[in-house]
Coordinates of all heavy atoms in Angstrom, one line a residue:
K220 N -75.4 52.7 -27.4 CA -76.5 51.9 -28.0 C -76.2 51.4 -29.5 O -77.0 51.1 -30.2 CB -77.9 52.5 -27.9 CG -78.3 52.9 -26.6 CD -79.6 53.6 -26.5 CE -79.9 54.0 -25.0 NZ -81.2 54.7 -24.9
S221 N -74.9 51.5 -29.8 CA -74.5 51.1 -31.1 C -74.3 49.6 -31.3 O -74.2 49.1 -32.5 CB -73.1 51.8 -31.5 OG -72.1 51.3 -30.7
G222 N -74.2 48.9 -30.1 CA -73.9 47.5 -30.2 C -72.5 47.1 -30.3 O -72.0 46.0 -30.3
E223 N -71.6 48.1 -30.3 CA -70.1 47.8 -30.4 C -69.6 47.5 -29.0 O -68.4 47.2 -28.8 CB -69.4 49.1 -30.9 CG -69.7 49.3 -32.5 CD -69.4 48.1 -33.3 OE1 -68.2 47.6 -33.1 OE2 -70.2 47.7 -34.1
A224 N -70.4 47.8 -27.9 CA -70.1 47.5 -26.6 C -71.3 46.8 -25.9 O -72.2 46.5 -26.6 CB -69.5 48.7 -25.8
G225 N -71.2 46.7 -24.6 CA -72.4 46.1 -23.9 C -72.3 44.6 -23.8 O -71.4 43.9 -24.4
F226 N -73.3 44.1 -23.1 CA -73.3 42.7 -22.6 C -73.4 41.7 -23.9 O -72.6 40.7 -23.9 CB -74.5 42.4 -21.8 CG -74.7 41.1 -21.2 CD1 -73.9 40.7 -20.1 CD2 -75.5 40.1 -21.9 CE1 -74.0 39.4 -19.7 CE2 -75.6 38.9 -21.3 CZ -74.9 38.5 -20.3
I227 N -74.2 42.1 -24.9 CA -74.3 41.1 -26.0 C -72.9 41.0 -26.7 O -72.5 39.9 -27.2 CB -75.4 41.6 -27.0 CG1 -76.8 41.7 -26.2 CG2 -75.5 40.7 -28.2 CD1 -77.3 40.3 -25.8
R228 N -72.3 42.2 -27.0 CA -71.1 42.3 -27.7 C -70.0 41.5 -26.9 O -69.1 40.8 -27.5 CB -70.6 43.7 -27.9 CG -69.4 43.8 -28.9 CD -69.9 43.3 -30.3 NE -68.9 43.5 -31.3 CZ -68.7 42.8 -32.3 NH1 -69.4 41.7 -32.5 NH2 -67.7 43.1 -33.2
Q229 N -70.0 41.5 -25.5 CA -69.1 40.8 -24.8 C -69.2 39.3 -25.0 O -68.2 38.5 -25.0 CB -69.3 41.1 -23.3 CG -68.8 42.6 -22.9 CD -69.2 43.0 -21.5 OE1 -69.1 42.1 -20.6 NE2 -69.6 44.1 -21.3
T230 N -70.4 38.8 -25.1 CA -70.6 37.4 -25.4 C -70.0 37.0 -26.6 O -69.6 35.9 -26.9 CB -72.0 37.0 -25.3 OG1 -72.7 37.5 -26.4 CG2 -72.7 37.4 -24.1
E231 N -69.9 37.9 -27.6 CA -69.4 37.7 -28.9 C -67.8 37.8 -29.1 O -67.3 37.2 -30.0 CB -70.1 38.5 -30.0 CG -71.6 38.4 -30.0 CD -72.3 39.5 -30.7 OE1 -71.7 40.6 -31.0 OE2 -73.5 39.3 -30.9
L232 N -67.3 38.6 -28.2 CA -65.9 38.9 -28.3 C -65.0 38.3 -27.2 O -63.8 38.1 -27.4 CB -65.6 40.4 -28.3 CG -66.2 41.2 -29.5 CD1 -65.8 42.6 -29.4 CD2 -65.7 40.6 -30.9
L233 N -65.6 37.9 -26.1 CA -64.7 37.4 -25.0 C -64.6 35.9 -25.0 O -63.7 35.4 -24.4 CB -65.3 38.0 -23.7 CG -65.0 39.4 -23.3 CD1 -65.7 39.8 -22.0 CD2 -63.5 39.7 -23.2
F234 N -65.5 35.3 -25.7 CA -65.4 33.8 -25.8 C -65.1 33.4 -27.3 O -65.5 33.9 -28.3 CB -66.8 33.2 -25.4 CG -67.2 33.4 -24.0 CD1 -68.2 34.4 -23.7 CD2 -66.6 32.7 -22.9 CE1 -68.5 34.6 -22.4 CE2 -67.0 32.9 -21.6 CZ -68.0 33.8 -21.4
S235 N -64.4 32.2 -27.3 CA -64.1 31.7 -28.7 C -65.4 30.7 -29.0 O -66.2 30.6 -28.1 CB -62.9 30.8 -28.6 OG -63.2 29.5 -27.9
P236 N -65.5 30.3 -30.2 CA -66.7 29.5 -30.5 C -66.8 28.2 -29.7 O -67.8 27.6 -29.5 CB -66.4 29.1 -32.0 CG -65.6 30.2 -32.4 CD -64.8 30.6 -31.4
D237 N -65.7 27.8 -29.1 CA -65.6 26.6 -28.2 C -65.9 27.0 -26.7 O -65.9 26.2 -25.8 CB -64.2 26.0 -28.3 CG -64.0 25.3 -29.6 OD1 -64.9 24.8 -30.2 OD2 -62.9 25.5 -30.1
G238 N -66.1 28.3 -26.5 CA -66.5 28.6 -25.1 C -65.3 28.9 -24.2 O -65.4 28.9 -23.0
Y239 N -64.2 29.2 -24.8 CA -63.0 29.5 -24.1 C -62.9 31.1 -23.8 O -63.0 31.8 -24.8 CB -61.6 29.0 -24.8 CG -60.4 29.4 -24.1 CD1 -60.0 28.7 -22.9 CD2 -59.5 30.5 -24.5 CE1 -58.8 29.1 -22.3 CE2 -58.4 30.8 -23.9 CZ -58.1 30.1 -22.8 OH -56.9 30.5 -22.1
Y240 N -62.7 31.4 -22.7 CA -62.7 32.9 -22.4 C -61.2 33.4 -22.5 O -60.3 32.7 -21.9 CB -63.2 33.0 -20.9 CG -63.3 34.4 -20.5 CD1 -64.4 35.3 -20.9 CD2 -62.4 35.0 -19.6 CE1 -64.5 36.6 -20.4 CE2 -62.5 36.3 -19.1 CZ -63.6 37.1 -19.5 OH -63.7 38.4 -19.1
T241 N -60.9 34.4 -23.2 CA -59.6 34.8 -23.6 C -58.6 35.0 -22.5 O -57.4 34.9 -22.6 CB -59.7 36.0 -24.6 OG1 -58.4 36.1 -25.1 CG2 -60.1 37.2 -23.9
E242 N -59.2 35.4 -21.3 CA -58.2 35.7 -20.1 C -57.9 34.4 -19.3 O -57.1 34.5 -18.5 CB -58.9 36.7 -19.2 CG -59.0 38.1 -19.7 CD -59.7 39.1 -18.7 OE1 -60.8 39.0 -18.5 OE2 -58.9 39.9 -18.3

Side-chain angles (χ1 to χ4, degrees):
K220 302 179 185 177
S221 68
E223 294 303 308
F226 183 81
I227 300 297
R228 193 61 174 152
Q229 290 173 37
T230 68
E231 295 164 350
L232 295 182
L233 286 174
F234 296 103
S235 79
D237 295 317
Y239 177 75
Y240 184 77
T241 191
E242 292 182 288

